[in-house]
Amino acid sequence: MPAPSDPEKYSIDEMVDRLKNRQAQDPDHEGELVTRSDGTQAIRVRKRKRRSHQPQKEEFKKNRRARMIQVSGALILLLMAVFAAGSAIAYANSAPFRQKIIGHIAASSGARVELEQFRMNPTRAIAGRLLLTWPDGNALREFTARSAGAAISPSSFIGKSLTGEEATCTDGILTLGVPQAGQPTRATPTGPGPLSVRFKRYAIPKLLVRIGDPAAPLVSLHDSEASFQTANASGRAQLLLNRGNIRISGWPNIQMDRAHLEFRGKEMDVVGMRLLHDGDNRGVFELMGTVSPYAADRPSTLAVRMESFLLSGIAGPDLGRLISGRIDTLSTVKSNYVSFTPGFVPAAKLDISFRNSLSSGFEVQGFPFLSNLARLMDNDAWFERPVFDTDATAMLRRADSAVVIEEINFEHKGRMALRGNLMLSPDHRLSGTLDVGIAEAMVKAAPNRRLDAMAGPLKEGFRWISLQIGGTAAAPTDNFLEILDATKLGVKPAPASKIPTFEDLTTPE
């Protein structure tokens, strides 16, 4: 049966009885009988707190406390690291640290050091300008680097050394000089142990090298890309050069294609140097050998090889206007070299034996005898600018602005041959002797019989006329007309004055 429902209405006495009964049933119940302002009464019960055990909440609170401790510790460590880094950066950009770095560079290079606008962070060192200066006993005289920078190792930041993979600068100027005997090679002594400045590679995208007086250098290399390695695969210091323009006092301008130099002790090995004519990339001019800059009394010699190189690139534009073409060096004993003595007058001397390149002959022009021959040959235009493209050979010797082309042996079968030598002095005066051979058939066929009268006896298939060359390269002269006129009058032409030799032209007065 369903339990009887509670009555909807209670009397005051019944309500009091029910409350008493409930209180008796719940001995832990705490309450207080209070009378309201309207006269009614009620039991005010005090709110009870839950006393149940909740382990999951205790574990959560414990984990939260641990995380707070960890986060606090991490923040403290981070703040300490930031403070330490800030202090290190401040120290690395201070005057004492800068002086320490200057000391490292000086001990490693042996030079006096000037360092401007130096700044450093944990990964990179930067300087606005670096100047190194060596004493007179060193072949190195001065090096200036602008906007220098390097990615450094962490140990560099505390000042013990300056190390890393690569150091670079936007442009640099290197001045070389003649080492003076008895003078020191270092401005600072070598420190104990390994060098305190160590980078595997030094790179300069724009380098200027000057040899001699910076105001008027004997040799200079402009706008070359340089890469210096302290140790290559063979353990030697190595310098690689790419591109650039070479200026040698008294010589034609030459372009640098590439160069590979290695250093051992006080000597430098030119493993390979490839040069180009200024304005022409077809021909090559290669050098190799050893240079001894500290042996002031011993000439350094480099072997020379040329292939399809313009003759004007070596003989100069003046002689190049008279004899033009491309040359290949010939393998000859005691020839094909450039030599120089690293003294106070380190003039370079070039000596090569050459022939015409297979793709080019030698064209001769500008001499008065050529136009005169053309008129005697019934205005044959070939004689005004003859071309010799078969086994045309000669030797070239050069010292500063003095040039001689000797042992000339040009021949065009059935027409003409040239033998002799030409010399150009530093003041652009031209001299020399040319034996001009005219083919016997050409002499016999010439409408002007005076050519037959002035030509010598037959030799090697040609009738020869010996001419004295003078004037300048811009306006050469010869005595062809004098010989022609003398033949007409039946008198012997006056002997020519003595022609200076190459030694006469290159010996200082």
Side-chain angles (χ1 to χ4, degrees):
M1 286 183 68
S5 59
D6 293 336
E8 295 180 0
K9 296 181 179 180
Y10 295 92
S11 64
I12 295 301
D13 294 335
E14 289 176 339
M15 291 176 64
V16 172
D17 291 339
R18 286 177 61 88
L19 287 174
K20 289 180 179 180
N21 291 334
R22 185 173 298 175
Q23 184 177 3
Q25 293 175 0
D26 188 5
D28 296 331
H29 178 76
E30 297 179 358
E32 179 182 359
L33 180 65
V34 296
T35 302
R36 298 190 181 95
S37 59
D38 59 356
T40 60
Q41 292 183 329
I43 301 296
R44 183 169 60 189
V45 180
R46 190 177 295 175
K47 185 177 181 181
R48 292 172 23 181
K49 295 182 179 179
R50 297 182 62 181
R51 302 292 184 184
S52 61
H53 179 65
Q54 297 180 324
Q56 66 278 12
K57 289 193 174 183
E58 292 179 0
E59 183 67 23
F60 173 76
K61 292 179 180 179
K62 182 179 179 181
N63 292 338
R64 184 171 61 180
R65 284 194 300 269
R67 283 196 299 270
M68 291 179 66
I69 294 173
Q70 292 173 354
V71 171
S72 300
L75 288 174
I76 292 172
L77 291 176
L78 179 61
L79 291 174
M80 292 176 63
V82 170
F83 177 77
S87 301
I89 292 174
Y91 171 67
N93 291 276
S94 65
F97 186 87
R98 179 173 172 273
Q99 290 301 318
K100 182 181 290 187
I101 294 298
I102 289 176
H104 290 334
I105 298 174
S108 299
S109 64
R112 292 184 293 272
V113 181
E114 293 182 18
L115 193 63
E116 298 177 1
Q117 299 175 354
F118 178 77
R119 53 198 183 277
M120 193 170 179
N121 58 46
T123 61
R124 192 165 182 82
I126 300 171
R129 178 175 174 267
L130 172 66
L131 174 62
L132 305 178
T133 307
W134 287 270
D136 293 339
N138 202 314
L140 301 172
R141 290 301 171 83
E142 184 178 281
F143 175 68
T144 303
R146 296 183 178 88
S147 300
I152 58 174
S153 61
S155 61
S156 303
F157 197 60
I158 58 178
K160 291 185 177 180
S161 62
L162 196 62
T163 60
E165 288 292 323
E166 182 181 61
T168 63
C169 66
T170 57
D171 60 274
I173 301 174
L174 175 63
T175 302
L176 306 175
V178 179
Q180 297 183 17
Q183 296 295 320
T185 60
R186 296 178 60 92
T188 58
T190 305
L195 298 178
S196 51
V197 177
R198 301 186 307 278
F199 290 92
K200 294 182 179 179
R201 181 172 177 264
Y202 299 83
I204 305 176
K206 187 177 180 181
L207 175 66
L208 167 62
V209 180
R210 302 176 299 197
I211 301 178
D213 183 3
L218 297 170
V219 182
S220 60
L221 171 64
H222 299 258
D223 299 330
S224 181
E225 181 182 354
S227 174
F228 179 77
Q229 290 179 294
T230 54
N232 60 9
S234 61
R236 294 181 180 179
Q238 170 182 285
L239 176 62
L240 301 178
L241 299 172
N242 187 38
R243 302 297 180 184
N245 300 311
I246 298 178
R247 303 287 182 264
I248 304 176
S249 179
W251 289 52
N253 295 336
I254 301 175
Q255 290 183 356
M256 166 80 75
D257 183 36
R258 60 180 180 268
H260 177 186
L261 313 176
E262 292 186 0
F263 302 88
R264 49 184 178 87
K266 292 186 176 182
E267 293 186 330
M268 178 182 71
D269 292 331
V270 181
V271 179
M273 181 179 291
R274 180 185 174 98
L275 308 176
L276 304 174
H277 181 276
D278 188 20
D280 178 81
N281 294 330
R282 285 179 54 190
V284 296
F285 177 2
E286 295 181 344
L287 299 171
M288 61 181 62
T290 300
V291 177
S292 303
Y294 291 91
D297 58 345
R298 187 178 70 194
S300 296
T301 302
L302 301 177
V304 172
R305 188 185 78 86
M306 295 183 183
E307 182 177 339
S308 196
F309 197 79
L310 284 173
L311 179 60
S312 60
I314 292 299
D318 290 338
L319 280 178
R321 281 191 293 268
L322 301 177
I323 303 176
S324 59
R326 296 181 179 274
I327 65 174
D328 295 342
T329 47
L330 288 170
S331 231
T332 308
V333 178
K334 295 184 179 180
S335 185
N336 301 330
Y337 64 86
V338 59
S339 66
F340 55 92
T341 302
F344 289 98
V345 187
K349 293 185 178 181
L350 175 69
D351 192 318
I352 61 170
S353 299
F354 64 89
R355 67 177 302 279
N356 65 294
S357 177
L358 294 177
S359 62
S360 170
F362 291 135
E363 183 178 284
V364 182
Q365 60 178 319
F367 294 99
F369 75 86
L370 295 175
S371 56
N372 291 324
L373 267 177
R375 283 195 296 270
L376 293 177
M377 293 291 182
D378 197 18
N379 295 320
D380 189 339
W382 185 89
F383 283 93
E384 292 187 0
R385 302 179 68 169
V387 177
F388 304 91
D389 54 6
T390 304
D391 295 329
T393 63
M395 292 186 64
L396 184 145
R397 299 166 67 193
R398 181 180 190 111
D400 293 335
S401 299
V403 186
V404 59
I405 301 178
E406 58 188 8
E407 298 185 20
I408 296 174
N409 187 3
F410 297 172
E411 183 175 319
H412 189 289
K413 290 189 181 298
R415 278 186 173 267
M416 185 179 181
L418 290 179
R419 308 279 191 273
N421 59 76
L422 293 172
M423 287 173 284
L424 185 67
S425 66
D427 61 356
H428 304 286
R429 301 297 301 177
L430 189 66
S431 60
T433 301
L434 284 180
D435 293 333
V436 182
I438 309 298
E440 173 72 5
M442 298 291 294
V443 174
K444 295 298 183 183
N448 194 323
R449 302 313 305 162
R450 294 168 62 188
L451 179 62
D452 186 27
M454 69 183 297
L458 183 66
K459 182 180 179 182
E460 299 177 4
F462 295 95
R463 304 276 301 279
W464 297 91
I465 305 171
S466 183
L467 301 177
Q468 301 298 324
I469 306 299
T472 65
T477 62
D478 59 59
N479 61 339
F480 183 89
L481 289 180
E482 294 178 13
I483 298 175
L484 183 64
D485 291 340
T487 302
K488 179 180 179 181
L489 297 174
V491 298
K492 187 176 181 180
S497 59
K498 178 180 180 297
I499 299 173
T501 64
F502 180 71
E503 285 72 20
D504 295 332
L505 296 176
T506 56
T507 301
E509 297 182 358

